[in-house]
C-alpha cells in the first residue's frame, strides 16, 4: 500500500525540500491551505485535504481536518483486523506520516499591543488534535513536529522503506512535550489577564536555552531554561559579548546580583559570591560605585560576579581588570572598556540593555522541594513609608537615614539570618546565612575592613534579644534599621537608648532562604 503523508505547517522551514524528497520516494502527499499552496508553487503534486474529507474548509479555516477521514486514517491500528476492516468499509485510507507545526501563538502574544481576540485566533485546534492522534498511534504513524527531524525521517524511508519504531517513539514523545508546552502557554496567557489565586492544577512551561557543562558540582547534570513571554531586564535577555559559556553557578549568582541591583536608581555596583552580596556601593558615577563595592571586601570579590546599572567606561574597566572576575554585567560597555576587558581570556561580559527594568509584579518565586514545588509572590516590596517608625529617644540624622535605606536594600537580598553594616553608601560588613542572629551580627563586625564606628546596621528580621544591639553598639554602630515585631522589642529599644543609638522599625521583614 502506498505511504501517505499529511503536511500542514505554519513554520514552512524545510517543508518544500521535505515534501520534494517524499515525492521522489513515492509518498502521496496530502496538505491543507497555505502549505498546499506553497508545495504546488514549487511543483510538488499535492492532494488537498478537502478531497480526502469530501468536505470544504469552513469557518475561515477553523474547520478543515476535524474529520473521520483524517483521524480514522491516523488512529487505525494496522495490526488490528477489525480497525482495518472498518476503515475499508468507510472508505478511509491510512495516513502514515504527519508533519505539523502549530499556529504561532507565542509569537502572537509577544507582539506589542496584541488583543485577546488576535491571541485566541492563533490557538490551534486541528493541529494539536492531529498530532495527538498520530502520536497515540505512533507504532504505525511517524509524527514530525520539529523541522529538524525531517532529515532523519527521509533517511530511514530511503534506506529501509519505513520509519523505525524507535524513531517513531521519540517523535511521539516530542509531540506530547510540544502540545503540553503549547497548551500551558495558552493557559498561562489567559491566567495572567486576571487577578486571582494560583490554580488547583499548575502546569508550567519553559524553553531550553542551553545545556550546561554541569550543575552546582561536576557530577550533576544541568540545563538552563527560560520562561515564555516578555522578559526585558532579566538575565535570559542578556547578550554575551565575551568569554566562555555560563555555568549553573554563574547563572544563579548573576541572577542574585541583578535582583539586588534593581533596588537602586542611582549609580550602583553589586559584587556577588555564591548568591550573597560581598560588596555593594553607590556613588556619583559607576567608577565611584565600583571602588566602594571593591573596597567592601577585596578578598571575596575575587572570582565573583559584578553587576553595574551604568555603562562601563574605560576608567572603571581598568580597575576591574586588576583582579579576576567571573562575570561583569552592565547595560553597555564603552569601546575602550571592551578592549581592556576582552584582553582577559576568561572573563564573561554580559550586556543587558534594560538592566534597571523592574521585575514584573506578576512574577513568582519558585523553590523545588523533593516531591513538590513551593510558589510565592516575589518579594517586590522594600518598606511602606507610613510604616517606618522611630522607636528610640534619638532621631537618626539625614546621613544615617540614607545609609540605613541603602543597607536595608542590601539586607533584603542577603540569606537569612542576614546583617549588613553600611557607611557612606557602601557595605562595610555582611553577615549572611547564620543560624542565629547574634552570629550574623558578630560576623558582619568581624569581617568589616572599614572602621565600624559611625556605621549603620540593617537586620532582615527582628532581634529576639538585646544582645545584637549591644554588640553593634560596642562596635560603634550609631543607627539600626530592623522590622521589629519581637515580644522582646522593648529590651532592644532600651539597649539602643542606653548607648544613644537611633533605631527604626520598618514593620516588614525580608527572610531569604
Amino acid at each position: 500500500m502506498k505511504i501517505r503523508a499529511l503536511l500542514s505547517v505554519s513554520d514552512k522551514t524545510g517543508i518544500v525540500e521535505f515534501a520534494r524528497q517524499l515525492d521522489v520516494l513515492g509518498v502521496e502527499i496530502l496538505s491543507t491551505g497555505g502549505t498546499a499552496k506553497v508545495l504546488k508553487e514549487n511543483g510538488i503534486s499535492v492532494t488537498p485535504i478537502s478531497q480526502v474529507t469530501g468536505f470544504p474548509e469552513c469557518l475561515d479555516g477553523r474547520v478543515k481536518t476535524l474529520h473521520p477521514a483524517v483521524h480514522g486514517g491516523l488512529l487505525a491500528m494496522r495490526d488490528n483486523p477489525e480497525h482495518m476492516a472498518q476503515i475499508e468499509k468507510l472508505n478511509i485510507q491510512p495516513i502514515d506520516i504527519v508533519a505539523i507545526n502549530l499556529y504561532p501563538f507565542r509569537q502572537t502574544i509577544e507582539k506589542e499591543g496584541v488583543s485577546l481576540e488576535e491571541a485566541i485566533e492563533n490557538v490551534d485546534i486541528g493541529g494539536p488534535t492531529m498530532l495527538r492522534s498520530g502520536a497515540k498511534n505512533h507504532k504505525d504513524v511517524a509524527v514530525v513536529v520539529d523541522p529538524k527531524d525531517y532529515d532523519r525521517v527521509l533517511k530511514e524511508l530511503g534506506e529501509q522503506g519505513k520509519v523505525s519504531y524507535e524513531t517513531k517513539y521519540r517523535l511521539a514523545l516530542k509531540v506530547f512535550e510540544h502540545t503540553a508546552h503549547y497548551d500551558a502557554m495558552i493557559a498561562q496567557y489567559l491566567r495572567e489577564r486576571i487577578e486571582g489565586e494560583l490554580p488547583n492544577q499548575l502546569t508550567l512551561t519553559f524553553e531550553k536555552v542551553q545545556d550546561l557543562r554541569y550543575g552546582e558540582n561536576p557530577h550533576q547534570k544541568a540545563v538552563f531554561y527560560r520562561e515564555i513571554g516578555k522578559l526585558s531586564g532579566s538575565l535570559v535577555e542578556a547578550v554575551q559579548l565575551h568569554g566562555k559559556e555560563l555555568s549553573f553557578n554563574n547563572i544563579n549568582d548573576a541572577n542574585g546580583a541583578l535582583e539586588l541591583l534593581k533596588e537602586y536608581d542611582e549609580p550602583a555596583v553589586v559584587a556577588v559570591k555564591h548568591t550573597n552580596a560581598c560588596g555593594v556601593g553607590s556613588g556619583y558615577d559607576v567608577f565611584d560605585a565600583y571602588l566602594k563595592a571593591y573596597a567592601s571586601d577585596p578578598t571575596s570579590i575575587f572570582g565573583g560576579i559584578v553587576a553595574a546599572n551604568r555603562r562601563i567606561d574605560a576608567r572603571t574597566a581598568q580597575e576591574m581588570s586588576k583582579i579576576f572576575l567571573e562575570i561583569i554585567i552592565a547595560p553597555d560597555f564603552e569601546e575602550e572598556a571592551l578592549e581592556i576587558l576582552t584582553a582577559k581570556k576568561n572573563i564573561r561580559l554580559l550586556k543587558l540593555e534594560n538592566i534597571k527594568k523592574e521585575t514584573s509584579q506578576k512574577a513568582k518565586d519558585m523553590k523545588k522541594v523533593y516531591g513538590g514545588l513551593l510558589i510565592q509572590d516575589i518579594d517586590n516590596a522594600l518598606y511602606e513609608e507610613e510604616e517606618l517608625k522611630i522607636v528610640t529617644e534619638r532621631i537618626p540624622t539625614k546621613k544615617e537615614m540614607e545609609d540605613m535605606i541603602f543597607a536595608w536594600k542590601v539586607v533584603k537580598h542577603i540569606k537569612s539570618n542576614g546583617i549588613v553594616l553600611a557607611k557612606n553608601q557602601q557595605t562595610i560588613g555582611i553577615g549572611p546565612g547564620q543560624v542565629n542572629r547574634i552570629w550574623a551580627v558578630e560576623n558582619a563586625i568581624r569581617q568589616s575592613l572599614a572602621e565600624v564606628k559611625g556605621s549603620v546596621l540593617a537586620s532582615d528580621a527582628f532581634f529576639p534579644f538585646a544582645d545584637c544591639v549591644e554588640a553593634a553598639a560596642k562596635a560603634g554602630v550609631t543607627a539600626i534599621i530592623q522590622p521589629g515585631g519581637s515580644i522582646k522589642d522593648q529590651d532592644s529599644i532600651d539597649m539602643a537608648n542606653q548607648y544613644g543609638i537611633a533605631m527604626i522599625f520598618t514593620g516588614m521583614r525580608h527572610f531569604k532562604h
Side-chain angles (χ1 to χ4, degrees):
M1 186 180 293
K2 190 172 186 178
I3 296 175
R4 299 168 85 220
L6 172 56
L7 313 183
S8 180
V9 293
S10 292
D11 178 2
K12 304 296 191 290
T13 303
I15 194 63
V16 171
E17 185 56 33
F18 182 56
R20 182 171 286 121
Q21 291 303 312
L22 289 176
D23 192 33
V24 169
L25 293 168
V27 176
E28 180 185 355
I29 297 172
L30 321 177
S31 192
T32 64
T35 306
K37 183 174 182 289
V38 168
L39 298 183
K40 287 178 181 177
E41 287 173 350
N42 282 273
I44 299 168
S45 179
V46 175
T47 302
I49 201 68
S50 58
Q51 188 174 315
V52 175
T53 63
F55 206 89
E57 296 183 12
C58 60
L59 305 181
D60 297 320
R62 282 187 167 201
V63 178
K64 46 183 176 277
T65 58
L66 298 170
H67 194 280
V70 173
H71 291 278
L74 291 170
L75 286 164
M77 298 170 66
R78 313 308 194 250
D79 59 359
N80 186 319
E82 291 185 6
H83 280 201
M84 299 310 290
Q86 285 181 41
I87 65 170
E88 183 177 1
K89 183 178 180 180
L90 295 169
N91 197 29
I92 295 173
Q93 296 182 53
I95 298 172
D96 309 289
I97 299 170
V98 177
I100 293 173
N101 49 61
L102 307 178
Y103 292 173
F105 183 80
R106 176 185 172 181
Q107 293 89 328
T108 300
I109 62 173
E110 288 183 346
K111 290 192 300 186
E112 204 65 46
V114 65
S115 66
L116 174 62
E117 290 72 21
E118 186 179 356
I120 292 299
E121 279 307 305
N122 279 276
V123 173
D124 203 329
I125 302 300
T129 308
M130 288 187 289
L131 286 173
R132 289 173 63 84
S133 291
K136 177 174 180 174
N137 198 27
H138 65 269
K139 185 171 67 171
D140 299 313
V141 181
V143 191
V144 189
V145 74
D146 184 351
K148 293 176 184 175
D149 293 317
Y150 291 162
D151 286 344
R152 182 172 183 173
V153 170
L154 290 171
K155 183 174 186 294
E156 292 189 9
L157 281 174
E159 293 176 353
Q160 306 166 26
K162 64 179 182 179
V163 181
S164 68
Y165 176 75
E166 179 186 359
T167 294
K168 287 188 287 190
Y169 181 91
R170 289 182 176 275
L171 292 174
L173 169 61
K174 206 166 190 177
V175 162
F176 286 118
E177 288 175 338
H178 184 72
T179 55
H181 170 71
Y182 192 78
D183 286 341
M185 272 196 300
I186 296 167
Q188 180 177 307
Y189 169 76
L190 295 175
R191 177 156 290 281
E192 285 178 351
R193 292 177 56 84
I194 62 173
E195 297 294 332
E197 298 178 357
L198 286 168
N200 291 330
Q201 294 179 313
L202 178 66
T203 303
L204 303 172
T205 186
F206 299 84
E207 290 184 344
K208 183 192 281 190
V209 175
Q210 67 187 87
D211 291 304
L212 302 174
R213 286 173 294 155
Y214 52 81
E216 284 183 289
N217 301 291
H219 62 276
Q220 294 172 273
K221 291 183 180 179
V223 176
F224 182 33
Y225 291 90
R226 63 171 286 156
E227 290 184 49
I228 307 303
K230 296 175 182 177
L231 301 162
S232 179
S234 68
L235 188 61
V236 295
E237 294 293 297
V239 176
Q240 186 164 349
L241 303 178
H242 178 72
K244 59 186 178 182
E245 70 179 29
L246 302 178
S247 71
F248 182 100
N249 292 330
N250 289 155
I251 293 168
N252 196 31
D253 291 348
N255 185 67
L258 287 176
E259 287 182 347
L260 174 49
L261 187 69
K262 289 180 187 298
E263 300 286 353
Y264 297 93
D265 293 320
E266 66 273 24
V269 171
V270 173
V272 164
K273 201 77 168 286
H274 301 298
T275 72
N276 273 307
C278 58
V280 183
S282 77
Y284 51 84
D285 62 13
V286 70
F287 180 74
D288 182 38
Y290 174 72
L291 291 182
K292 287 181 177 180
Y294 172 78
S296 297
D297 189 346
T299 301
S300 297
I301 196 175
F302 185 87
I305 289 171
V306 168
N309 62 4
R310 295 293 191 277
R311 188 184 195 198
I312 303 299
D313 55 27
R315 185 170 62 149
T316 307
Q318 193 65 55
E319 284 298 318
M320 290 175 164
S321 69
K322 292 178 180 179
I323 62 169
F324 168 58
L325 295 173
E326 284 271 9
I327 299 173
I328 299 173
I329 314 170
D332 204 355
F333 297 80
E334 287 184 359
E335 195 61 41
E336 189 178 348
L338 277 176
E339 290 177 9
I340 293 167
L341 294 170
T342 54
K344 298 175 77 70
K345 180 181 177 181
N346 292 324
I347 196 169
R348 286 96 152 181
L349 304 179
L350 301 181
K351 177 181 176 180
L352 183 54
E353 291 184 349
N354 297 306
I355 201 166
K356 292 192 290 182
K357 187 176 177 64
E358 291 183 1
T359 304
S360 168
Q361 298 296 305
K362 294 182 179 180
K364 301 295 180 186
D365 176 50
M366 305 179 193
K367 290 181 173 63
K368 182 74 179 70
V369 296
Y370 184 63
L373 179 71
L374 294 169
I375 296 185
Q376 62 179 347
D377 294 336
I378 60 165
D379 185 1
N380 56 12
L382 189 63
Y383 59 84
E384 298 291 342
E385 193 79 40
E386 62 273 13
E387 294 295 321
L388 292 181
K389 182 166 41 172
I390 300 170
V391 295
T392 50
E393 295 167 359
R394 188 170 81 77
I395 297 173
T397 65
K398 180 182 177 183
K399 179 180 178 301
E400 285 174 332
M401 196 67 205
E402 290 172 348
D403 279 341
M404 280 193 287
I405 297 305
F406 172 89
W408 186 246
K409 291 177 180 179
V410 179
V411 82
K412 170 184 170 181
H413 296 272
I414 297 298
K415 294 289 178 66
S416 300
N417 289 312
I419 295 291
V420 170
L421 299 175
K423 183 163 57 173
N424 300 323
Q425 303 292 286
Q426 172 189 14
T427 56
I428 64 168
I430 299 175
Q434 299 301 311
V435 293
N436 67 60
R437 200 154 294 278
I438 185 62
W439 287 2
V441 172
E442 290 170 347
N443 279 355
I445 293 169
R446 182 169 55 250
Q447 294 176 27
S448 175
L449 299 179
E451 176 62 59
V452 176
K453 186 177 181 180
S455 67
V456 305
L457 179 150
S459 173
D460 65 335
F462 63 62
F463 294 138
F465 305 104
D467 54 356
C468 293
V469 178
E470 185 173 24
K474 288 181 177 178
V477 169
T478 62
I480 292 173
I481 184 168
Q482 59 129 322
S486 169
I487 59 172
K488 295 189 176 182
D489 273 347
Q490 194 57 50
D491 291 351
S492 292
I493 294 169
D494 291 343
M495 186 65 71
N497 285 332
Q498 180 181 327
Y499 283 94
I501 287 177
M503 187 156 63
I504 287 181
F505 284 0
T506 65
M508 181 181 291
R509 79 177 190 198
H510 289 293
F511 276 161
K512 186 177 177 67
H513 295 100

